[in-house]
Amino acid sequence: MAGDELTASESAILVVLMAEAREVLNTELRDRYQLDVRKPQRDKLTRLQYVASRRSGSTYALQLDDKGWVRMQTDLDFTLRGASALGAALAALQTNLRERVLARSGCATLAELFALTDVRAPASAPAAGPTGSMEARVVSAYRALADEPGAWVSLRRLRPFFADVSREHLDEALRGLSRSDGVSIAPESNQKTLTEADHVAALRLGGQENHLLAIGV
């Protein structure tokens, strides 16, 4: 995204969190990759809403946030004096993941590609037109995010998997699913825990803003 003025190190942090595709402790990043996300970097990436961070004991838990997944769909600048080959390697990796690997994978976004489980609609899903296909994708994405059937998943976590479609199209599919047996879409009971991203991701349904999805209840 033009104007965010990310440094090469900050761009690299986004790549690592994209590859992890989960909430990961900074201590684990240090142990696995020798990567230490310092406070200035963490604060900047959080302010840009590219990274979600929270205190966890004596360290921080970090995860690529909604806007971070969207940011990964556009070029990052890995230019770094004295390390041009490393920068070129990271730039080539990101570009070809987006332009070649993504297309061959059958996934629509990098969020889908790096999800810990397959979030694509199964080939056996009924083809009931665009909305039906979207509903199948939503169910698959939900299953990738939920710890167990019937668990609540925030719409803030779900929406990045659909960066390739309009919000209206996704909202239509969610409203269609809400009328199905075993599907619940509800507001967060503890409104104080909601972030700005939660409010933006909310679905207007039944005269109120809804933030959570559960399937298999």
Side-chain angles (χ1 to χ4, degrees), residues 113-130:
L113 182 66
F114 281 93
L116 299 183
T117 61
D118 195 349
V119 301
R120 293 171 297 176
S124 58

Side-chain angles (χ1 to χ4, degrees), residues 16 19-20 22 24 28-36:
V16 172
E20 285 292 331
R22 62 186 176 93
V24 56
E28 184 179 351
L29 293 176
R30 286 200 298 266
D31 292 342
R32 277 188 92 176
Y33 305 114
Q34 291 75 54
L35 173 65
D36 187 9

Side-chain angles (χ1 to χ4, degrees), residues 34-86:
Q34 291 75 54
L35 173 65
D36 187 9
V37 181
R38 303 296 180 109
K39 185 179 186 300
Q41 298 168 319
R42 185 180 68 246
D43 288 350
K44 178 180 177 181
L45 294 173
T46 301
R47 185 179 70 253
L48 290 168
Q49 298 181 353
Y50 292 166
V51 171
S53 66
R54 64 176 181 85
R55 188 82 182 180
S56 179
S58 60
T59 188
Y60 278 84
L62 306 168
Q63 187 172 20
L64 200 61
D65 211 344
D66 299 11
K67 289 187 177 180
W69 284 108
V70 175
R71 181 66 178 87
M72 293 305 300
Q73 296 288 135
T74 57
D75 289 337
L76 294 168
D77 184 2
F78 296 103
T79 303
L80 184 64
R81 183 176 300 174
S84 58
L86 175 61

Side-chain angles (χ1 to χ4, degrees), residues 68-143:
W69 284 108
V70 175
R71 181 66 178 87
M72 293 305 300
Q73 296 288 135
T74 57
D75 289 337
L76 294 168
D77 184 2
F78 296 103
T79 303
L80 184 64
R81 183 176 300 174
S84 58
L86 175 61
L90 285 170
L93 175 64
Q94 189 214 5
T95 298
N96 286 285
L97 274 173
R98 195 177 64 238
E99 296 181 358
R100 293 168 53 204
V101 178
L102 192 60
R104 294 173 183 172
S105 71
C107 296
T109 65
L110 289 171
E112 288 188 24
L113 182 66
F114 281 93
L116 299 183
T117 61
D118 195 349
V119 301
R120 293 171 297 176
S124 58
T131 302
S133 299
M134 278 295 298
E135 289 181 8
R137 278 186 63 185
V138 171
V139 172
S140 295
Y142 169 83
R143 288 173 178 166

Side-chain angles (χ1 to χ4, degrees), residues 177-191:
L177 274 175
S178 71
R179 296 187 286 270
S180 303
D181 291 338
V183 177
S184 294
I185 298 179
E188 169 59 57
S189 58
N190 186 359
Q191 296 284 305

